[in-house]
Amino acid sequence: MDVSSKLIKIKEDIEKACERANRLPEEVKIIAVTKYVSVERAKEALEAGILHLGENRDDGLLSKWEVLKDDAVFHFIGTLQSRKVKNIIDKAEYIHSLDRLSLAKEINKRASRKMNCLIQVNVSGEESKHGISPDGVVDFVMKLKEYPNINVCGLMTMAPFTKDEDFIRSCFRKLRELQKKVQDLNLDYAPCNELSMGMSNDYIIAVEEGATMIRIGSALVGEYNQEV
Ligand SMILES: *Cc1c(COP(=O)(O)O)cnc(C)c1O
């Protein structure tokens, strides 16, 4: 299926989910995750009306950015090694994977402007997942005061790898509760308006639970007819 047909379906899903949750579809940004696909496929997504592209490696971001920089807003969504920060800092508009102070320090040092960062939270507690533990988020945000180039624009999580929708939902809900806690701190460097949650398999639940950014790869730009 071409990207535009898939996008139509996803937008319908978002509209219905928003209706159920009493939200506006405009509140939800769709990030096309292009990490497994070609520049041409990413271009197809932009032509279908996508604005946001997500990549999880510095070289992937770079190769798409070189061709599409005038037409897309780039999001870095993967684990970020500190030594790679310099490669992406001027190209990504958002970093979704801030998960440690050493990374904050490096971003702060390399950024030539305020950098939009989302704190990655390991809500499900799975050992394989990166991210700050929910209990540590407020403390982590407070410590970011030291780094004036960091703007905590939101929180990000990856849902657990499970078919248990109630559990997935509870993780998204937890992230939203954490967002409220951060917002209640009233820090000018941490407006925390964004909730980046939901991927191909769980974006509908994520939208119902308040996602403002959904990161969709296979269901949107997948080049095969994958079951998702
Ligand atoms: C790959 C990836 C996605 C998209 O995954 P799909 O299941 O293909 O939609 C979203 N977020 C992150 C962090 C990813 O690495």
Side-chain angles (χ1 to χ4, degrees), residues 33 35-36 56 77-78 156 158 199-201 215-219:
V33 177
K35 62 188 181 191
Y36 295 131
N56 69 341
I77 61 169
M156 178 273 214
M158 311 256 293
M199 318 197 325
S200 290
N201 288 314
R215 311 178 307 268
I216 308 193
S218 49

Side-chain angles (χ1 to χ4, degrees), residues 194-209:
E194 308 285 358
L195 278 180
S196 169
M197 56 191 197
M199 318 197 325
S200 290
N201 288 314
D202 50 28
Y203 65 88
I204 295 176
I205 304 174
V207 170
E208 287 171 353
E209 296 301 328

Side-chain angles (χ1 to χ4, degrees), residues 103-120:
L103 180 58
K105 188 174 175 187
E106 181 67 11
I107 293 171
N108 186 64
K109 180 174 137 192
R110 300 281 178 182
S112 55
R113 63 197 150 103
K114 269 203 195 296
M115 195 63 212
N116 286 317
C117 296
L118 292 90
I119 296 173
Q120 183 167 352

Side-chain angles (χ1 to χ4, degrees), residues 53-73:
L53 298 182
E55 284 282 332
N56 69 341
R57 294 175 53 118
D58 64 331
D59 47 0
L61 187 102
L62 198 69
S63 61
K64 305 277 188 335
W65 181 85
E66 278 170 348
V67 183
L68 307 170
K69 58 173 174 288
D70 295 333
D71 304 311
V73 171

